[in-house]
Amino acid sequence: MACVSGMSDPLVDRTRRVYDQLAAVYPLSTALFHSRAHRCALEISGLRDGMRVLEVATGSGEMFRRLARANRSGFTLGVDFAPKMAARTQRAVRRQTANCSAHCQAVDARQMPFRSETFDAVFCCYLFELLPDQDIPVALGEFRRILRQDGRLTLVLISRSVRIFNAVYGLLGKLAPAFWGHQVEQAFPDLIEAANFRFLHRRIVHQNFYPSLVLVAQKLPEIVPRFL
């Protein structure tokens, strides 16, 4: 994540450096563990061709290329916190998705340089596990701000549905927190509702022992207090 002035965090900075270093090999992880969840997310998201779509945390770009192909007559923008990841995704989308209006760049998810209510749909896969707990509501607030009224937010998180996986992942997270992060699924129902979204869909997807949770939520109108 290309940290904005005043929002630098040691863990986030380390994570950005780690993922920049792994940019060339990270697509293997996506192919082995994430691609099935990406496909499910696209299927249940409600995306329609012609939308303005943002993917936050493009990673290897596998999901971003799916979005660009499904939204050929719209505009698809991708952002990632690792500049080398974003650059590789941009090159790949140019090669593999001709005649699509798609672009990828390095941006901090906690403070995005987009006008309010710019996008019809926002997608975000496996980002929140890498953020400090205090930054998760900040990023969700940004997602809400840039979504248009009734816009949809599609998230993919690491699921806690497999007990043995949870134990292994917890150990890996302690050994290399900048790469593995920490599981956050249990907190998300309350976090999503606190950000004034309504849940539409919830699916659990397994791929090679790796469990993912796919969530789709809709932005609700602002609650305006009434004074009698």
PDB file of all heavy atoms in Angstrom, residues 174-201:
ATOM      1  N   LYS A 174       1.913 -15.526  12.883  1.00  0.00           N
ATOM      2  CA  LYS A 174       2.855 -15.093  13.922  1.00  0.00           C
ATOM      3  C   LYS A 174       4.287 -15.086  13.406  1.00  0.00           C
ATOM      4  O   LYS A 174       5.087 -14.237  13.785  1.00  0.00           O
ATOM      5  CB  LYS A 174       2.738 -16.011  15.137  1.00  0.00           C
ATOM      6  CG  LYS A 174       1.418 -15.864  15.892  1.00  0.00           C
ATOM      7  CD  LYS A 174       1.348 -16.825  17.056  1.00  0.00           C
ATOM      8  CE  LYS A 174       0.020 -16.684  17.802  1.00  0.00           C
ATOM      9  NZ  LYS A 174      -0.090 -17.660  18.926  1.00  0.00           N
ATOM     10  N   LEU A 175       4.595 -16.042  12.524  1.00  0.00           N
ATOM     11  CA  LEU A 175       5.952 -16.131  11.994  1.00  0.00           C
ATOM     12  C   LEU A 175       6.244 -15.053  10.959  1.00  0.00           C
ATOM     13  O   LEU A 175       7.365 -14.527  10.900  1.00  0.00           O
ATOM     14  CB  LEU A 175       6.176 -17.523  11.373  1.00  0.00           C
ATOM     15  CG  LEU A 175       6.151 -18.703  12.335  1.00  0.00           C
ATOM     16  CD1 LEU A 175       6.244 -20.014  11.566  1.00  0.00           C
ATOM     17  CD2 LEU A 175       7.296 -18.600  13.345  1.00  0.00           C
ATOM     18  N   ALA A 176       5.253 -14.732  10.137  1.00  0.00           N
ATOM     19  CA  ALA A 176       5.457 -13.744   9.058  1.00  0.00           C
ATOM     20  C   ALA A 176       4.212 -12.888   8.901  1.00  0.00           C
ATOM     21  O   ALA A 176       3.469 -13.010   7.922  1.00  0.00           O
ATOM     22  CB  ALA A 176       5.790 -14.453   7.751  1.00  0.00           C
ATOM     23  N   PRO A 177       3.950 -11.994   9.865  1.00  0.00           N
ATOM     24  CA  PRO A 177       2.705 -11.220   9.838  1.00  0.00           C
ATOM     25  C   PRO A 177       2.571 -10.305   8.629  1.00  0.00           C
ATOM     26  O   PRO A 177       1.457 -10.030   8.171  1.00  0.00           O
ATOM     27  CB  PRO A 177       2.774 -10.409  11.140  1.00  0.00           C
ATOM     28  CG  PRO A 177       4.230 -10.374  11.500  1.00  0.00           C
ATOM     29  CD  PRO A 177       4.783 -11.682  11.036  1.00  0.00           C
ATOM     30  N   ALA A 178       3.673  -9.825   8.084  1.00  0.00           N
ATOM     31  CA  ALA A 178       3.597  -8.925   6.938  1.00  0.00           C
ATOM     32  C   ALA A 178       3.108  -9.627   5.682  1.00  0.00           C
ATOM     33  O   ALA A 178       2.574  -8.985   4.778  1.00  0.00           O
ATOM     34  CB  ALA A 178       4.963  -8.285   6.672  1.00  0.00           C
ATOM     35  N   PHE A 179       3.290 -10.944   5.612  1.00  0.00           N
ATOM     36  CA  PHE A 179       2.808 -11.686   4.447  1.00  0.00           C
ATOM     37  C   PHE A 179       1.457 -12.345   4.705  1.00  0.00           C
ATOM     38  O   PHE A 179       0.542 -12.262   3.885  1.00  0.00           O
ATOM     39  CB  PHE A 179       3.821 -12.759   4.037  1.00  0.00           C
ATOM     40  CG  PHE A 179       3.361 -13.600   2.874  1.00  0.00           C
ATOM     41  CD1 PHE A 179       3.375 -13.088   1.591  1.00  0.00           C
ATOM     42  CD2 PHE A 179       2.891 -14.898   3.073  1.00  0.00           C
ATOM     43  CE1 PHE A 179       2.936 -13.853   0.511  1.00  0.00           C
ATOM     44  CE2 PHE A 179       2.454 -15.666   1.994  1.00  0.00           C
ATOM     45  CZ  PHE A 179       2.487 -15.138   0.720  1.00  0.00           C
ATOM     46  N   TRP A 180       1.313 -13.018   5.857  1.00  0.00           N
ATOM     47  CA  TRP A 180       0.107 -13.796   6.111  1.00  0.00           C
ATOM     48  C   TRP A 180      -1.003 -12.983   6.760  1.00  0.00           C
ATOM     49  O   TRP A 180      -2.184 -13.265   6.562  1.00  0.00           O
ATOM     50  CB  TRP A 180       0.440 -14.995   6.997  1.00  0.00           C
ATOM     51  CG  TRP A 180       1.319 -15.990   6.329  1.00  0.00           C
ATOM     52  CD1 TRP A 180       2.672 -16.137   6.481  1.00  0.00           C
ATOM     53  CD2 TRP A 180       0.930 -16.968   5.364  1.00  0.00           C
ATOM     54  NE1 TRP A 180       3.138 -17.148   5.685  1.00  0.00           N
ATOM     55  CE2 TRP A 180       2.097 -17.681   4.990  1.00  0.00           C
ATOM     56  CE3 TRP A 180      -0.296 -17.318   4.790  1.00  0.00           C
ATOM     57  CZ2 TRP A 180       2.066 -18.720   4.062  1.00  0.00           C
ATOM     58  CZ3 TRP A 180      -0.323 -18.356   3.867  1.00  0.00           C
ATOM     59  CH2 TRP A 180       0.839 -19.039   3.512  1.00  0.00           C
ATOM     60  N   GLY A 181      -0.646 -11.986   7.560  1.00  0.00           N
ATOM     61  CA  GLY A 181      -1.667 -11.199   8.234  1.00  0.00           C
ATOM     62  C   GLY A 181      -2.386 -11.997   9.309  1.00  0.00           C
ATOM     63  O   GLY A 181      -1.830 -12.926   9.908  1.00  0.00           O
ATOM     64  N   HIS A 182      -3.657 -11.676   9.545  1.00  0.00           N
ATOM     65  CA  HIS A 182      -4.433 -12.339  10.581  1.00  0.00           C
ATOM     66  C   HIS A 182      -5.883 -12.445  10.121  1.00  0.00           C
ATOM     67  O   HIS A 182      -6.377 -11.599   9.383  1.00  0.00           O
ATOM     68  CB  HIS A 182      -4.362 -11.564  11.901  1.00  0.00           C
ATOM     69  CG  HIS A 182      -4.923 -10.176  11.817  1.00  0.00           C
ATOM     70  ND1 HIS A 182      -4.384  -9.181  11.033  1.00  0.00           N
ATOM     71  CD2 HIS A 182      -5.990  -9.612  12.433  1.00  0.00           C
ATOM     72  CE1 HIS A 182      -5.084  -8.065  11.158  1.00  0.00           C
ATOM     73  NE2 HIS A 182      -6.071  -8.300  11.999  1.00  0.00           N
ATOM     74  N   GLN A 183      -6.558 -13.491  10.546  1.00  0.00           N
ATOM     75  CA  GLN A 183      -7.941 -13.712  10.128  1.00  0.00           C
ATOM     76  C   GLN A 183      -8.872 -12.698  10.799  1.00  0.00           C
ATOM     77  O   GLN A 183      -8.751 -12.419  11.992  1.00  0.00           O
ATOM     78  CB  GLN A 183      -8.364 -15.139  10.458  1.00  0.00           C
ATOM     79  CG  GLN A 183      -7.665 -16.175   9.582  1.00  0.00           C
ATOM     80  CD  GLN A 183      -7.944 -17.590  10.051  1.00  0.00           C
ATOM     81  OE1 GLN A 183      -7.447 -18.010  11.091  1.00  0.00           O
ATOM     82  NE2 GLN A 183      -8.719 -18.339   9.285  1.00  0.00           N
ATOM     83  N   VAL A 184      -9.819 -12.185  10.020  1.00  0.00           N
ATOM     84  CA  VAL A 184     -10.690 -11.117  10.510  1.00  0.00           C
ATOM     85  C   VAL A 184     -12.168 -11.428  10.282  1.00  0.00           C
ATOM     86  O   VAL A 184     -13.020 -10.590  10.577  1.00  0.00           O
ATOM     87  CB  VAL A 184     -10.341  -9.774   9.831  1.00  0.00           C
ATOM     88  CG1 VAL A 184      -8.928  -9.340  10.186  1.00  0.00           C
ATOM     89  CG2 VAL A 184     -10.509  -9.869   8.315  1.00  0.00           C
ATOM     90  N   GLU A 185     -12.474 -12.617   9.783  1.00  0.00           N
ATOM     91  CA  GLU A 185     -13.852 -12.926   9.377  1.00  0.00           C
ATOM     92  C   GLU A 185     -14.876 -12.671  10.482  1.00  0.00           C
ATOM     93  O   GLU A 185     -15.949 -12.120  10.242  1.00  0.00           O
ATOM     94  CB  GLU A 185     -13.957 -14.386   8.934  1.00  0.00           C
ATOM     95  CG  GLU A 185     -15.370 -14.811   8.592  1.00  0.00           C
ATOM     96  CD  GLU A 185     -15.549 -16.326   8.585  1.00  0.00           C
ATOM     97  OE1 GLU A 185     -14.545 -17.053   8.616  1.00  0.00           O
ATOM     98  OE2 GLU A 185     -16.707 -16.763   8.568  1.00  0.00           O
ATOM     99  N   GLN A 186     -14.553 -13.074  11.703  1.00  0.00           N
ATOM    100  CA  GLN A 186     -15.548 -13.007  12.775  1.00  0.00           C
ATOM    101  C   GLN A 186     -16.006 -11.590  13.070  1.00  0.00           C
ATOM    102  O   GLN A 186     -17.141 -11.370  13.491  1.00  0.00           O
ATOM    103  CB  GLN A 186     -14.979 -13.654  14.042  1.00  0.00           C
ATOM    104  CG  GLN A 186     -14.835 -15.169  13.930  1.00  0.00           C
ATOM    105  CD  GLN A 186     -14.243 -15.790  15.174  1.00  0.00           C
ATOM    106  OE1 GLN A 186     -13.304 -15.249  15.760  1.00  0.00           O
ATOM    107  NE2 GLN A 186     -14.770 -16.925  15.588  1.00  0.00           N
ATOM    108  N   ALA A 187     -15.146 -10.605  12.844  1.00  0.00           N
ATOM    109  CA  ALA A 187     -15.505  -9.224  13.154  1.00  0.00           C
ATOM    110  C   ALA A 187     -16.320  -8.565  12.045  1.00  0.00           C
ATOM    111  O   ALA A 187     -16.917  -7.505  12.274  1.00  0.00           O
ATOM    112  CB  ALA A 187     -14.236  -8.407  13.396  1.00  0.00           C
ATOM    113  N   PHE A 188     -16.388  -9.173  10.858  1.00  0.00           N
ATOM    114  CA  PHE A 188     -16.916  -8.448   9.708  1.00  0.00           C
ATOM    115  C   PHE A 188     -18.420  -8.228   9.688  1.00  0.00           C
ATOM    116  O   PHE A 188     -18.874  -7.195   9.175  1.00  0.00           O
ATOM    117  CB  PHE A 188     -16.428  -9.076   8.406  1.00  0.00           C
ATOM    118  CG  PHE A 188     -15.361  -8.242   7.766  1.00  0.00           C
ATOM    119  CD1 PHE A 188     -14.089  -8.244   8.297  1.00  0.00           C
ATOM    120  CD2 PHE A 188     -15.645  -7.400   6.710  1.00  0.00           C
ATOM    121  CE1 PHE A 188     -13.100  -7.447   7.767  1.00  0.00           C
ATOM    122  CE2 PHE A 188     -14.666  -6.595   6.171  1.00  0.00           C
ATOM    123  CZ  PHE A 188     -13.390  -6.610   6.690  1.00  0.00           C
ATOM    124  N   PRO A 189     -19.260  -9.111  10.187  1.00  0.00           N
ATOM    125  CA  PRO A 189     -20.684  -8.763  10.208  1.00  0.00           C
ATOM    126  C   PRO A 189     -20.955  -7.437  10.914  1.00  0.00           C
ATOM    127  O   PRO A 189     -21.693  -6.583  10.402  1.00  0.00           O
ATOM    128  CB  PRO A 189     -21.308  -9.946  10.957  1.00  0.00           C
ATOM    129  CG  PRO A 189     -20.405 -11.086  10.638  1.00  0.00           C
ATOM    130  CD  PRO A 189     -19.020 -10.492  10.625  1.00  0.00           C
ATOM    131  N   ASP A 190     -20.359  -7.230  12.078  1.00  0.00           N
ATOM    132  CA  ASP A 190     -20.556  -5.974  12.805  1.00  0.00           C
ATOM    133  C   ASP A 190     -19.909  -4.797  12.091  1.00  0.00           C
ATOM    134  O   ASP A 190     -20.475  -3.697  12.044  1.00  0.00           O
ATOM    135  CB  ASP A 190     -19.985  -6.089  14.221  1.00  0.00           C
ATOM    136  CG  ASP A 190     -20.787  -7.039  15.098  1.00  0.00           C
ATOM    137  OD1 ASP A 190     -21.960  -7.303  14.767  1.00  0.00           O
ATOM    138  OD2 ASP A 190     -20.227  -7.521  16.093  1.00  0.00           O
ATOM    139  N   LEU A 191     -18.715  -5.016  11.503  1.00  0.00           N
ATOM    140  CA  LEU A 191     -18.026  -3.931  10.812  1.00  0.00           C
ATOM    141  C   LEU A 191     -18.797  -3.471   9.581  1.00  0.00           C
ATOM    142  O   LEU A 191     -18.903  -2.271   9.305  1.00  0.00           O
ATOM    143  CB  LEU A 191     -16.623  -4.382  10.410  1.00  0.00           C
ATOM    144  CG  LEU A 191     -15.615  -4.559  11.544  1.00  0.00           C
ATOM    145  CD1 LEU A 191     -14.363  -5.263  11.039  1.00  0.00           C
ATOM    146  CD2 LEU A 191     -15.256  -3.204  12.156  1.00  0.00           C
ATOM    147  N   ILE A 192     -19.339  -4.423   8.822  1.00  0.00           N
ATOM    148  CA  ILE A 192     -20.106  -4.080   7.622  1.00  0.00           C
ATOM    149  C   ILE A 192     -21.368  -3.313   7.984  1.00  0.00           C
ATOM    150  O   ILE A 192     -21.715  -2.300   7.353  1.00  0.00           O
ATOM    151  CB  ILE A 192     -20.460  -5.365   6.845  1.00  0.00           C
ATOM    152  CG1 ILE A 192     -19.214  -5.942   6.184  1.00  0.00           C
ATOM    153  CG2 ILE A 192     -21.529  -5.089   5.794  1.00  0.00           C
ATOM    154  CD1 ILE A 192     -18.685  -5.132   5.034  1.00  0.00           C
ATOM    155  N   GLU A 193     -22.059  -3.769   9.002  1.00  0.00           N
ATOM    156  CA  GLU A 193     -23.280  -3.081   9.413  1.00  0.00           C
ATOM    157  C   GLU A 193     -22.966  -1.703   9.995  1.00  0.00           C
ATOM    158  O   GLU A 193     -23.712  -0.739   9.774  1.00  0.00           O
ATOM    159  CB  GLU A 193     -24.051  -3.934  10.412  1.00  0.00           C
ATOM    160  CG  GLU A 193     -24.629  -5.189   9.777  1.00  0.00           C
ATOM    161  CD  GLU A 193     -25.398  -6.051  10.768  1.00  0.00           C
ATOM    162  OE1 GLU A 193     -25.443  -5.680  11.958  1.00  0.00           O
ATOM    163  OE2 GLU A 193     -25.934  -7.088  10.343  1.00  0.00           O
ATOM    164  N   ALA A 194     -21.854  -1.584  10.720  1.00  0.00           N
ATOM    165  CA  ALA A 194     -21.466  -0.286  11.270  1.00  0.00           C
ATOM    166  C   ALA A 194     -21.135   0.711  10.162  1.00  0.00           C
ATOM    167  O   ALA A 194     -21.315   1.922  10.336  1.00  0.00           O
ATOM    168  CB  ALA A 194     -20.270  -0.448  12.205  1.00  0.00           C
ATOM    169  N   ALA A 195     -20.649   0.204   9.023  1.00  0.00           N
ATOM    170  CA  ALA A 195     -20.348   1.066   7.885  1.00  0.00           C
ATOM    171  C   ALA A 195     -21.599   1.352   7.055  1.00  0.00           C
ATOM    172  O   ALA A 195     -21.509   1.992   6.003  1.00  0.00           O
ATOM    173  CB  ALA A 195     -19.281   0.426   7.008  1.00  0.00           C
ATOM    174  N   ASN A 196     -22.762   0.900   7.512  1.00  0.00           N
ATOM    175  CA  ASN A 196     -24.061   1.154   6.882  1.00  0.00           C
ATOM    176  C   ASN A 196     -24.191   0.459   5.525  1.00  0.00           C
ATOM    177  O   ASN A 196     -24.574   1.064   4.524  1.00  0.00           O
ATOM    178  CB  ASN A 196     -24.310   2.656   6.743  1.00  0.00           C
ATOM    179  CG  ASN A 196     -25.795   2.993   6.717  1.00  0.00           C
ATOM    180  OD1 ASN A 196     -26.633   2.199   7.142  1.00  0.00           O
ATOM    181  ND2 ASN A 196     -26.114   4.163   6.195  1.00  0.00           N
ATOM    182  N   PHE A 197     -23.862  -0.832   5.527  1.00  0.00           N
ATOM    183  CA  PHE A 197     -24.114  -1.706   4.392  1.00  0.00           C
ATOM    184  C   PHE A 197     -25.124  -2.769   4.799  1.00  0.00           C
ATOM    185  O   PHE A 197     -25.222  -3.135   5.968  1.00  0.00           O
ATOM    186  CB  PHE A 197     -22.832  -2.414   3.938  1.00  0.00           C
ATOM    187  CG  PHE A 197     -21.869  -1.556   3.179  1.00  0.00           C
ATOM    188  CD1 PHE A 197     -20.854  -0.881   3.844  1.00  0.00           C
ATOM    189  CD2 PHE A 197     -21.957  -1.437   1.803  1.00  0.00           C
ATOM    190  CE1 PHE A 197     -19.939  -0.106   3.145  1.00  0.00           C
ATOM    191  CE2 PHE A 197     -21.054  -0.659   1.098  1.00  0.00           C
ATOM    192  CZ  PHE A 197     -20.044   0.012   1.766  1.00  0.00           C
ATOM    193  N   ARG A 198     -25.830  -3.300   3.812  1.00  0.00           N
ATOM    194  CA  ARG A 198     -26.775  -4.402   4.028  1.00  0.00           C
ATOM    195  C   ARG A 198     -26.255  -5.642   3.306  1.00  0.00           C
ATOM    196  O   ARG A 198     -25.951  -5.600   2.113  1.00  0.00           O
ATOM    197  CB  ARG A 198     -28.157  -4.038   3.487  1.00  0.00           C
ATOM    198  CG  ARG A 198     -29.191  -5.156   3.559  1.00  0.00           C
ATOM    199  CD  ARG A 198     -30.570  -4.616   3.218  1.00  0.00           C
ATOM    200  NE  ARG A 198     -30.628  -4.135   1.843  1.00  0.00           N
ATOM    201  CZ  ARG A 198     -31.039  -4.872   0.797  1.00  0.00           C
ATOM    202  NH1 ARG A 198     -31.410  -6.125   0.987  1.00  0.00           N
ATOM    203  NH2 ARG A 198     -31.091  -4.351  -0.412  1.00  0.00           N
ATOM    204  N   PHE A 199     -26.172  -6.779   4.029  1.00  0.00           N
ATOM    205  CA  PHE A 199     -25.705  -8.013   3.425  1.00  0.00           C
ATOM    206  C   PHE A 199     -26.707  -8.531   2.395  1.00  0.00           C
ATOM    207  O   PHE A 199     -27.912  -8.561   2.643  1.00  0.00           O
ATOM    208  CB  PHE A 199     -25.488  -9.091   4.490  1.00  0.00           C
ATOM    209  CG  PHE A 199     -24.194  -8.956   5.233  1.00  0.00           C
ATOM    210  CD1 PHE A 199     -24.183  -8.530   6.561  1.00  0.00           C
ATOM    211  CD2 PHE A 199     -22.986  -9.239   4.619  1.00  0.00           C
ATOM    212  CE1 PHE A 199     -23.002  -8.403   7.253  1.00  0.00           C
ATOM    213  CE2 PHE A 199     -21.794  -9.110   5.311  1.00  0.00           C
ATOM    214  CZ  PHE A 199     -21.800  -8.694   6.616  1.00  0.00           C
ATOM    215  N   LEU A 200     -26.190  -8.967   1.243  1.00  0.00           N
ATOM    216  CA  LEU A 200     -27.018  -9.577   0.204  1.00  0.00           C
ATOM    217  C   LEU A 200     -26.699 -11.059   0.015  1.00  0.00           C
ATOM    218  O   LEU A 200     -27.599 -11.868  -0.181  1.00  0.00           O
ATOM    219  CB  LEU A 200     -26.817  -8.848  -1.131  1.00  0.00           C
ATOM    220  CG  LEU A 200     -27.193  -7.367  -1.166  1.00  0.00           C
ATOM    221  CD1 LEU A 200     -26.863  -6.786  -2.538  1.00  0.00           C
ATOM    222  CD2 LEU A 200     -28.665  -7.172  -0.839  1.00  0.00           C
ATOM    223  N   HIS A 201     -25.406 -11.408   0.032  1.00  0.00           N
ATOM    224  CA  HIS A 201     -24.999 -12.791  -0.223  1.00  0.00           C
ATOM    225  C   HIS A 201     -23.818 -13.156   0.664  1.00  0.00           C
ATOM    226  O   HIS A 201     -22.991 -12.305   0.991  1.00  0.00           O
ATOM    227  CB  HIS A 201     -24.590 -12.995  -1.687  1.00  0.00           C
ATOM    228  CG  HIS A 201     -25.658 -12.646  -2.672  1.00  0.00           C
ATOM    229  ND1 HIS A 201     -26.799 -13.389  -2.840  1.00  0.00           N
ATOM    230  CD2 HIS A 201     -25.738 -11.613  -3.556  1.00  0.00           C
ATOM    231  CE1 HIS A 201     -27.552 -12.847  -3.768  1.00  0.00           C
ATOM    232  NE2 HIS A 201     -26.928 -11.771  -4.221  1.00  0.00           N
TER     233      HIS A 201
END
